[in-house]
């Protein structure tokens, strides 16, 4: 039997998880969380680590971490995590791909600078100066394509003399653009700057490749970030591998989705940011690659592939980031979730959270609920932008979407038509009631079709993210007591807001009983019949109503019946200008009004 200690060193809290592994069986021995001690007055991350281990009731022998467990794996976002500036010639093409690459490496993207004719040199200089990133990522030009504007961006970086966040030295640069201008890039940057050359992230308009640049980013993260945070460098001296928490979570959701053979999105609500990660398999059209100056010449059929997306939203934190979240969401959007809300009380509470990030809790759970709801809404909107199609793809004779299953109105893979599971994790959720969590997930995210809501009720996913891939895969099936399927939401999309029938839903319970529901516009129903472990669902929508298979198309599914049951919501699309009185009307003060609508049990 092996003992494994997993550590997640966050900006605010250090979390520890002690596991035992016996062949394929995983057992959670203990968990703990303590304040992170990177900053004043301790200035030593080891202080927090030792305190977290003490909370696990494990003795530290002679300060030797190797004596605690057979294996120790660590991830970290301490010190604000990895911060990057990205540059690309065209904002919606290479700059967008550069941003996706940075986010995929677990970075917070503090600035996106584009070239071309959009900005003149003085404006680009002003954007770069004072940014103080950990890394600058420069992209632009397909191989053999744009050269002049890529060189202009390199000249801008050289002239701006961008200082690193940690030292009074120039920030390192990774160039991942047109391979034909590498020598020109070196001429401008190599003498004064730590310059890395990676493969072009957009070698042609139809291809986006970010794996190689991700490796370069990870290498610089270890060199420039970890070594400048007190004691994180010492951890590497012990021989422990250290990776950004965001990279581990991105890996976790991808393995989750592959293991369950579905598509999933994970939201990690933290004190400094709210991060989202998705793994989505889809079918797209395959085209012949262009040659020379030719555009795409024909459809080669369909291919199935999976993509993983990340979005680190530094404007959506619940404590250190509360003031930024308030500014981003707006006072009205925060107050609509709170009874008897006043602007003054919310303003004061948000800024107090920045000063005392660990002191809030039970006393202001109503504000925590509101902030969490808006953090989910804002983060999902950003994630949809990140999970967009490749701009710049051209076809002959007609315009065809790059992703066959992506609607032209959205242009994103992060659509509920494709998503099956929502996973919620973060330190706030153990303090909220299950009804509250389902309510804010439903109304903030507004999923449609059939969506499973999972809750990390012990807040352990960020620690599991420290595991190596093969161990994550074997642990997922063993953590059902900690990461639970909280509820399933069935919600159709309707093009009409008038009160009318949306369709007939037939539920066949495992005990043999059958139930039919005539769902009408505006209905909100909660099915919670104890004793059933699975429900067969058949949905016959009316014309123009989409339950996930397209307008008017029937849907059949088997739903694993877990914990809170099934929420059937006929309010889509839900207007974003709702108020607290609307919430009371829908759910009741204590979620007592959920059971409404026509239900006939055979």
């Amino acid at each position: 039997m092996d003992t494994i200690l997993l550590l997640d060193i966050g900006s605010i809290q250090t979390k520890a998880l002690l596991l035992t592994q016996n062949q394929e069986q995983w057992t959670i021995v203990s968990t703990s969380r303590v304040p992170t001690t990177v900053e004043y007055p301790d200035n030593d991350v080891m202080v927090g680590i030792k305190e977290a281990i003490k909370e696990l009731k494990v003795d530290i022998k002679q300060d030797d971490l190797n004596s605690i467990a057979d294996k120790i794996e660590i991830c970290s976002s301490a010190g604000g995590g990895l911060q990057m500036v990205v540059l690309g010639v065209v904002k919606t093409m290479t700059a967008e791909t550069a941003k996706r690459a940075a986010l995929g490496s677990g970075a917070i993207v503090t600035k996106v600078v584009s070239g071309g004719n959009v900005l003149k040199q003085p404006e680009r200089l002003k954007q770069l100066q004072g940014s103080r990133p950990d890394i600058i990522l420069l992209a632009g030009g397909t191989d053999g394509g744009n050269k002049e504007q890529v060189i202009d961006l390199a000249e801008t970086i050289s002239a701006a003399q961008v200082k690193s966040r940690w030292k009074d030295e120039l920030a390192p640069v990774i160039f991942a653009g047109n391979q034909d201008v590498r020598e020109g890039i070196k001429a401008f940057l190599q003498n004064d700057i730590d310059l890395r050359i990676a493969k072009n992230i957009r070698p042609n308009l139809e291809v986006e490749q970010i794996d190689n640049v991700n490796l370069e980013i990870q290498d610089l993260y270890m060199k420039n970030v970890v070594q400048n945070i007190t004691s994180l460098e010492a951890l590497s001296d012990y021989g422990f591998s250290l990776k950004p928490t965001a990279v581990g979570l991105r890996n976790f959701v991808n393995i989750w989705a592959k293991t369950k053979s579905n598509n999933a999105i994970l939201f990690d609500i933290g004190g400094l940011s709210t991060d989202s990660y998705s793994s989505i398999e889809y079918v797209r059209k395959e085209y012949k690659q262009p040659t020379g100056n030719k555009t795409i010449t024909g459809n080669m059929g369909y291919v199935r592939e999976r993509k993983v997306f990340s979005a680190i939203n530094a404007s959506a934190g619940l404590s250190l980031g509360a003031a930024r979240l308030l500014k981003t969401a707006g006072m009205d959007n925060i107050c609509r979730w709170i009874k008897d809300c006043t602007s003054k009380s919310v303003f004061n509470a948000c800024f107090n959270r920045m000063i005392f990030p660990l002191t809030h809790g039970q006393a202001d759970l109503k504000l925590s609920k509101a902030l969490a709801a808006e953090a989910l809404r804002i983060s999902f909107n950003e994630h949809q932008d990140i999970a967009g199609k490749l701009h710049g793809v051209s076809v002959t004779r007609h315009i065809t979407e790059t992703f066959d299953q992506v609607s032209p109105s959205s242009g994103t893979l992060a659509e509920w038509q494709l998503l099956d599971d929502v996973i919620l994790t973060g330190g706030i959720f153990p303090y909220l009631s299950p009804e509250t969590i389902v309510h804010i997930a439903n109304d903030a995210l507004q999923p449609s079709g059939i969506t499973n809501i999972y809750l990390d009720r012990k807040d352990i996913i960020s620690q599991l993210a420290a595991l190596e891939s093969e161990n994550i895969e074997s642990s997922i099936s063993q953590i059902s007591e900690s990461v639970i399927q909280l509820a399933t939401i069935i919600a159709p999309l309707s093009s009409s807001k008038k009160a009318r029938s949306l369709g007939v839903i037939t539920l066949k319970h495992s005990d043999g009983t059958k139930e039919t529901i005539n769902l009408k516009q505006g209905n909100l129903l909660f099915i919670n019949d104890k004793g059933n472990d699975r429900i067969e669902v058949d949905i016959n929508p009316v014309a123009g109503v989409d339950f996930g298979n397209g307008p008017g198309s029937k849907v059949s599914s088997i739903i694993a019946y877990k914990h809170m049951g099934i929420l059937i919501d006929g309010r889509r699309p839900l207007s974003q200008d709702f108020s607290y009185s609307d919430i009371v009307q829908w759910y009741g003060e204590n979620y007592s009004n959920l059971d409404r609508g026509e239900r006939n049990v055979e």
Side-chain angles (χ1 to χ4, degrees):
M1 181 181 296
D2 292 332
T3 304
I4 301 177
L5 175 64
L6 304 176
L7 293 169
D8 172 32
I9 307 168
S11 295
I12 298 173
Q13 289 186 317
T14 294
K15 304 172 189 176
L17 173 64
L18 190 63
L19 301 171
T20 57
Q21 182 187 23
N22 187 1
Q23 295 181 347
E24 293 298 317
Q25 295 296 317
W26 292 79
T27 303
I28 297 175
V29 177
S30 184
T31 64
S32 68
R33 65 176 65 204
V34 299
T36 294
T37 53
V38 167
E39 298 178 353
Y40 179 85
D42 297 293
N43 295 322
D44 186 349
V45 74
M46 286 300 299
V47 174
I49 290 174
K50 291 178 180 179
E51 187 62 30
I53 293 171
K54 188 184 297 184
E55 292 284 328
L56 293 174
K57 304 187 185 307
V58 178
D59 292 331
I60 300 176
K61 299 177 181 178
Q62 298 177 351
D63 290 335
D64 182 7
L65 290 182
N66 287 303
S67 69
I68 301 164
D70 299 307
K71 185 183 296 185
I72 299 176
E73 297 182 2
I74 305 169
C75 57
S76 173
S77 59
L82 174 62
Q83 299 183 19
M84 292 182 62
V85 168
V86 301
L87 298 91
V89 170
V90 180
K91 182 177 181 180
T92 57
M93 292 171 63
T94 48
E96 183 181 86
T97 294
K99 182 179 180 181
R100 265 198 288 266
L103 291 169
S105 298
I108 295 173
V109 177
T110 58
K111 287 187 185 297
V112 179
V113 180
S114 57
N117 296 320
V118 179
L119 292 175
K120 300 299 182 182
Q121 178 76 326
E123 295 173 89
R124 294 200 294 265
L125 281 171
K126 186 177 179 180
Q127 282 193 327
L128 284 177
Q129 288 169 338
S131 57
R132 298 192 75 93
D134 298 313
I135 301 170
I136 298 172
L137 174 59
L138 170 61
T142 58
D143 287 341
N146 194 314
K147 297 179 182 180
E148 182 179 348
Q149 291 174 339
V150 181
I151 294 294
D152 285 346
L153 288 175
E155 183 181 7
T156 301
I157 294 172
S158 178
Q161 295 288 289
V162 183
K163 296 294 182 64
S164 168
R165 178 163 61 116
W166 298 102
K167 295 179 180 179
D168 192 28
E169 60 184 27
L170 298 181
V173 175
I174 300 174
F175 175 64
N178 183 355
Q179 63 180 2
D180 291 352
V181 299
R182 288 177 177 175
E183 294 305 315
I185 297 296
K186 292 177 181 178
F188 270 108
L189 301 178
Q190 197 168 41
N191 291 336
D192 302 320
I193 295 173
D194 181 2
L195 175 66
R196 307 289 182 93
I197 303 294
K199 292 180 180 179
N200 193 350
I201 56 177
R202 288 292 289 272
N204 60 64
L205 293 179
E206 289 74 37
V207 174
E208 181 178 270
Q209 54 181 21
I210 62 176
D211 289 347
N212 182 255
V213 76
N214 284 160
L215 293 175
E216 293 290 347
I217 292 172
Q218 294 306 308
D219 184 63
L220 282 173
Y221 170 79
M222 292 299 296
K223 177 183 176 183
N224 289 5
V225 179
V226 170
Q227 292 186 8
N228 284 290
I229 297 178
T230 306
S231 294
L232 281 187
E233 184 181 7
L235 289 177
S236 62
D237 292 340
Y238 276 102
F240 305 132
S241 61
L242 193 67
K243 61 184 174 184
T245 303
V247 172
L249 289 172
R250 175 185 170 95
N251 193 30
F252 178 91
V253 76
N254 191 35
I255 294 172
W256 171 287
K258 288 181 177 179
T259 300
K260 295 181 177 291
S261 299
N262 64 14
N263 295 332
I265 185 168
L266 181 150
F267 294 93
D268 179 20
I269 300 183
L272 187 64
S273 66
T274 292
D275 311 332
S276 53
Y277 311 88
S278 65
S279 176
I280 301 171
E281 186 179 58
Y282 64 100
V283 176
R284 67 170 176 83
K285 291 180 180 179
E286 178 80 350
Y287 296 99
K288 293 180 182 178
Q289 294 297 318
T291 58
N293 294 323
K294 295 182 180 180
T295 58
I296 301 172
T297 56
N299 184 1
M300 297 176 65
Y302 295 86
V303 294
R304 181 177 295 275
E305 64 184 17
R306 180 175 292 276
K307 281 186 174 289
V308 185
F309 300 99
S310 309
I312 314 297
N313 194 319
S315 298
L318 268 58
S319 54
L320 289 178
R324 289 196 301 272
L325 176 54
L326 175 60
K327 180 180 179 181
T328 303
M331 184 65 73
D332 290 343
N333 283 336
I334 297 294
C335 277
R336 64 180 171 169
W337 301 92
I338 305 173
K339 183 180 180 180
D340 301 327
C341 176
T342 66
S343 298
K344 182 178 180 180
S345 63
V346 170
F347 182 88
N348 289 341
C350 286
F351 278 88
N352 281 332
R353 284 169 176 242
M354 293 181 65
I355 301 170
F356 306 106
L358 291 172
T359 57
H360 72 281
Q362 296 286 357
D364 59 351
L365 282 183
K366 292 180 180 179
L367 177 59
S368 294
K369 163 193 165 183
L371 293 176
E374 287 302 303
L376 285 175
R377 180 182 66 84
I378 291 168
S379 295
F380 183 59
N381 289 341
E382 181 184 46
H383 196 94
Q384 287 189 305
D385 291 338
I386 294 299
K389 66 177 186 176
L390 297 183
H391 291 277
V393 176
S394 57
V395 295
T396 58
R397 292 178 298 191
H398 64 282
I399 297 175
T400 304
E401 290 297 316
T402 305
F403 304 125
D404 185 61
Q405 294 189 21
V406 180
S407 62
S409 61
S410 66
T412 179
L413 284 176
E415 281 282 277
W416 295 114
Q417 180 186 5
L418 297 178
L419 291 168
D420 303 298
D421 294 346
V422 173
I423 308 165
L424 302 175
T425 185
I428 184 57
F429 290 116
Y431 296 99
L432 300 178
S433 70
E435 293 85 359
T436 298
I437 295 169
V438 171
H439 155 46
I440 64 174
N442 185 40
D443 288 352
L445 297 174
Q446 295 196 42
S448 60
I450 299 177
T451 310
N452 300 313
I453 306 297
Y454 285 86
L455 173 66
D456 178 13
R457 64 178 180 178
K458 292 187 178 180
D459 193 20
I460 64 169
I461 286 180
S462 64
Q463 295 111 83
L464 290 174
L467 285 168
E468 296 300 323
S469 296
E470 63 273 11
N471 287 332
I472 290 179
E473 185 173 358
S474 63
S475 70
I476 283 176
S477 61
Q478 305 290 327
I479 58 174
S480 57
E481 291 186 2
S482 299
V483 183
I484 61 171
Q485 183 177 329
L486 189 60
T488 297
I489 296 173
I490 300 176
L493 277 177
S494 172
S495 57
S496 173
K497 294 184 179 180
K498 296 180 180 179
R500 65 185 183 102
S501 175
L502 298 173
V504 176
I505 301 174
T506 302
L507 306 176
K508 185 177 180 181
H509 301 272
S510 57
D511 60 6
T513 60
K514 187 182 292 185
E515 183 175 7
T516 61
I517 299 170
N518 181 16
L519 184 66
K520 292 183 177 180
Q521 187 84 41
N523 283 167
L524 194 61
L525 311 174
F526 191 45
I527 313 298
N528 190 356
D529 298 327
K530 303 295 184 183
N532 290 290
D533 57 2
R534 61 193 290 273
I535 294 180
E536 296 180 20
V537 179
D538 291 304
I539 304 173
N540 189 8
V542 302
V545 176
D546 186 359
F547 277 85
N549 279 353
S553 298
K554 294 182 179 181
V555 176
S556 295
S557 181
I558 297 177
I559 296 176
Y561 199 82
K562 301 290 185 180
H563 296 280
M564 287 187 60
I566 301 173
L567 182 67
I568 303 177
D569 193 343
R571 300 173 300 150
R572 302 288 187 271
L574 179 62
S575 172
Q576 283 297 318
D577 61 356
F578 63 83
S579 64
Y580 186 78
S581 61
D582 293 321
I583 293 175
V584 173
Q585 181 181 353
W586 295 327
Y587 294 93
E589 287 283 2
N590 296 306
Y591 301 98
S592 58
N593 294 349
L594 284 172
D595 193 11
R596 297 189 295 178
E598 296 178 16
R599 298 176 63 184
N600 298 308
V601 181
E602 295 182 3

